[in-house]
Each structure stands twice: as C-alpha cells, then as structure tokens.
Amino acid sequence: MRFKIGRVELEIVRGDITTQGTEAIVNAANSSLMGGGGVDGAIHRAGGPKIKDECAKIRNESWPDGLPAGKAVITSGGNLKADFVIHTVGPVWRGGNSGEGRVLENCYRNCLELADGEGIGSMSFPSISTGAYGYPVCEAGRIAVRTVIEYVSSKETHLEKIRFVLYSEPDLKTYEAISEKELGRRL
Ligand code: APR
C-alpha cells in the first residue's frame, strides 16, 4: 500500500528488512549494539562482521555504557543491499505507563534525523519494539506512522521514500489500517 505525504512516498509492505533496496534500513537493536535475535540477528547475519565492527567502534568512542533506548546511530550496510544501517534501541513494553510511547517516538524521529543528516533519500523501518520487546503492534504502529507524518510535514527533508516493512500479514494489515486512517486516500 502506498501513500503520499507531500513529496514523500510512504510504503507499507510485507517482507524481510534485510532484503530491502532502500539506501538505509533501520535495525531494532539492543543497547549493546552487539546483535541479538529478530531483526537485529537477521541484519548482522546478512550484513556480515563489518557492521558489528563499526558498532563496536561506536560503543567505544561514543556510548561505552551502551546506546540508550530512543537513540540511534548509523553504520555502513556491510554486505546488505542497503548502503547504511541505522541502529536504534526501542523501549521494552512495561504496560504503557513508563514513558514507552515517548521513547518509541524518539526512535523514529532520531532515525529520520540521522538519515537526513546523511542526505539519504530512502529508508526502511521494521516495526520497532513489537517483537521481543512486547510493544502492542496497534499502539506502536500508530506512533510510528504519526511520527513519520509529523516529521515529513514539518521539515525540509532529503527523504523521498519511507517504507514500513512488516514481517507478518496481521502486522501488515494493522499498519495499513493505521496509515489509511491517518492519511486517508492511498495512491
Ligand atoms: N524483517 C522485518 N521484520 C522482522 C524481521 C525481519 N527479518 N525479523 C523479525 N521482524 C519483526 C518482528 O516480527 C517484530 O514485528 O520485527 C519486529 C521487531 O521484532 P524484534 O526484532 O524482536 O525487535 P524488538 O521487539 O525491537 O526487540 C529488540 O530483540 O533481537 C533482539 O537484539 C534485539 O534485544 C533486542 C530486541
């Protein structure tokens, strides 16, 4: 499903984040930046050791105690099609009264800002925090879509294409429904 937000095209697709041909893909990392399961494991497996080496350098130079939730850092794409991987740490769901929504919003906004800072024209997001971190997809999807809309509508951005890549049919349908509600007419 595709939408337009001003000049920017928003795509909602089902697939594997590691195979996306956008300039950047976003990793749902953990604070260690040393890999894990889910998206994180898939990206490190497909991207190869170069990504982890760059993450280790970032840890040593900038985040010795780990990347805090909500922050984002950027590495090359290693062996991936994507030129860049933007690593962000989502909030762990604790019931919704511990500021998880704000942290998730920060993840999306910081990834968008990092991409813009590099002059990146296209990027793909997974559904951050809705796997191991347990964030309800409906609520997380609403934050994801609204943060992208608010960012693109309020800034001069280099981005021309933003893609949400969902791994399951139910998650795809949830994001499509949210996007239709928030953006109305689709392309
Ligand atoms: N491509 C796209 N989406 C994927 C893929 C993939 N290859 N693999 C999993 N997903 C989906 C999951 O189904 C879920 O909807 O991405 C979403 C996020 O799930 P996780 O990868 O578990 O990420 P998150 O919930 O943010 O938890 C992060 O899990 O893998 C560890 O190191 C990671 O500790 C961190 C935690």
Side-chain angles (χ1 to χ4, degrees):
M1 202 176 271
R2 292 184 305 126
F3 300 86
K4 272 297 227 187
I5 314 169
R7 283 186 319 97
V8 178
E9 184 172 314
L10 178 67
E11 280 183 319
I12 322 282
V13 303
R14 182 176 176 189
D16 181 334
I17 193 85
T18 64
T19 64
Q20 301 305 313
T22 49
E23 282 175 67
I25 64 170
V26 172
N27 181 21
N30 61 56
S31 292
S32 76
L33 293 179
M34 291 293 105
V39 166
D40 202 3
I43 287 176
H44 281 283
R45 268 193 308 280
K50 188 170 184 300
I51 296 176
K52 196 166 181 177
D53 293 345
E54 292 179 44
C55 285
K57 191 163 180 291
I58 291 169
R59 275 290 311 276
N60 294 334
E61 291 174 0
S62 312
W63 299 103
D65 299 330
L67 185 68
K71 298 286 187 190
V73 295
I74 190 165
T75 66
S76 75
N79 304 326
L80 291 164
K81 269 193 225 166
D83 299 327
F84 300 97
V85 178
I86 295 174
H87 307 261
T88 192
V89 180
V92 175
W93 179 253
R94 302 187 194 289
N97 300 313
S98 316
E100 297 97 320
R102 173 71 59 206
V103 173
L104 190 59
E105 215 178 285
N106 290 342
C107 286
Y108 284 96
R109 188 174 304 107
N110 286 328
C111 290
L112 289 160
E113 285 176 354
L114 254 185
D116 252 334
E118 294 288 333
I120 288 168
S122 60
M123 68 190 293
S124 295
F125 284 102
S127 180
I128 299 167
S129 281
T130 62
Y133 282 180
Y135 213 117
V137 177
C138 201
E139 187 46 42
R142 198 172 300 120
I143 290 172
V145 172
R146 284 180 179 166
T147 307
V148 164
I149 293 170
E150 180 240 320
Y151 180 88
V152 168
S153 310
S154 63
K155 294 214 176 185
E156 273 302 301
T157 175
H158 296 282
L159 287 161
E160 291 166 5
K161 177 178 287 185
I162 298 170
R163 188 179 291 163
F164 285 121
V165 182
L166 287 313
Y167 210 45
S168 74
E169 193 63 22
D171 289 358
L172 174 72
K173 294 294 173 218
T174 300
Y175 270 69
E176 286 179 338
I178 292 166
S179 301
E180 279 192 306
K181 183 170 173 295
E182 297 293 333
L183 289 165
R185 193 173 45 77
R186 67 193 206 198
L187 290 180

